[in-house]
Amino acid sequence: MLKDRFRKFLPVVVDLETGGFNSKKNAILEIAIQLIDEENSMLVLGESHRFHIEPFQDLLVDDDALEFLKLDLNHPLRVAVDEKFALDSIFKIINKQKNKYECSRAILVGHNAFFDHSFLLEACLRNDIKKSPFHPFSLIDTVSLGVLATKQTVLARVCKELNISYDNEEAHSAAYDAMVTAEVFCKIINDYDFNTISTN
């Protein structure tokens, strides 16, 4: 059972796109989660969910960040929602998945997971969200897993070593990055489990 693999923690891959690197001063612009399911004792990708987010009042969006993300906040097809609405919606989805697998908490999985986690913590504080499904400080970082499995830390290079497709044109979209990070996570965990089982 999935609940027994990570000490009753439900792994949920999270990726944020932000208006800078300071979690206290810069706005969240996009959030995506990639759920993880289990089939025949293997971790597989489940549903994905994404929200474009209106920058929270008085938080900064750096021009350099928008250029890097190739993001136009005023694009007519960018349907953005309030930050609290996005977080409440995401957390409800995670809690439903958590109950499905009888897990006690979710644990955030990310590439440089501390970055995404720090922004989530600040967003919960400013929106007075007291019950996040995520563990308050434990994380699973695919940088650490990636360097162990491939000797690489950059996501694109980790993917290359693992024979996972990576499209530079799609990169830095929260939904795409969450999906690719989830593929890395599942492959490394599945391969480790298989090798451990086969050698014992």
Side-chain angles (χ1 to χ4, degrees), residues 53-73:
I53 297 177
E54 287 287 350
F56 195 86
Q57 183 178 0
D58 297 329
L59 291 187
L60 303 176
V61 178
D62 297 339
D63 290 339
D64 288 348
L66 293 179
E67 184 177 350
F68 177 75
L69 297 171
K70 300 176 183 177
L71 188 59
D72 178 4
L73 296 182

Side-chain angles (χ1 to χ4, degrees), residues 23-189:
S23 61
K24 296 182 183 296
K25 295 181 179 180
N26 291 116
I28 296 173
L29 306 177
E30 190 176 351
I31 183 171
I33 61 168
Q34 178 69 58
L35 299 179
I36 303 295
D37 282 312
E38 188 177 47
E39 293 180 2
N40 300 319
S41 299
M42 301 287 281
L43 299 185
V44 297
L45 272 60
E47 294 180 356
S48 62
H49 300 270
R50 176 185 69 177
F51 288 96
H52 293 289
I53 297 177
E54 287 287 350
F56 195 86
Q57 183 178 0
D58 297 329
L59 291 187
L60 303 176
V61 178
D62 297 339
D63 290 339
D64 288 348
L66 293 179
E67 184 177 350
F68 177 75
L69 297 171
K70 300 176 183 177
L71 188 59
D72 178 4
L73 296 182
N74 299 312
H75 194 285
L77 298 180
R78 184 180 187 268
V79 182
V81 300
D82 176 79
E83 184 178 73
K84 188 175 189 305
F85 175 84
L87 292 179
D88 284 340
S89 301
I90 289 287
F91 289 172
K92 285 179 183 176
I93 292 166
I94 293 171
N95 282 327
K96 183 178 178 181
Q97 183 84 344
K98 181 168 64 72
N99 293 335
K100 172 184 174 181
Y101 284 106
E102 301 176 11
C103 292
S104 58
R105 301 203 74 148
I107 186 167
L108 188 148
V109 179
H111 204 75
N112 295 310
F114 175 80
F115 178 87
D116 301 282
H117 190 249
S118 67
F119 272 85
L120 270 186
L121 288 176
E122 289 297 329
C124 287
L125 284 174
R126 63 178 169 257
N127 288 285
D128 197 30
I129 298 174
K130 301 187 184 304
K131 287 191 176 183
S132 166
F134 289 108
H135 193 284
F137 53 83
S138 290
L139 308 167
I140 299 177
D141 191 358
T142 53
V143 172
S144 300
L145 293 176
V147 79
L148 178 66
T150 71
K151 299 183 175 65
Q152 300 291 337
T153 59
V154 176
L155 184 58
R157 293 179 180 178
V158 173
C159 287
K160 182 179 179 180
E161 293 295 325
L162 296 176
N163 293 316
I164 293 173
S165 176
Y166 187 87
D167 187 343
N168 282 302
E169 294 299 317
E170 294 288 335
H172 309 304
S173 151
Y176 182 79
D177 287 353
M179 179 192 72
V180 173
T181 300
E183 289 180 345
V184 167
F185 173 71
C186 289
K187 181 167 179 55
I188 292 174
I189 297 297

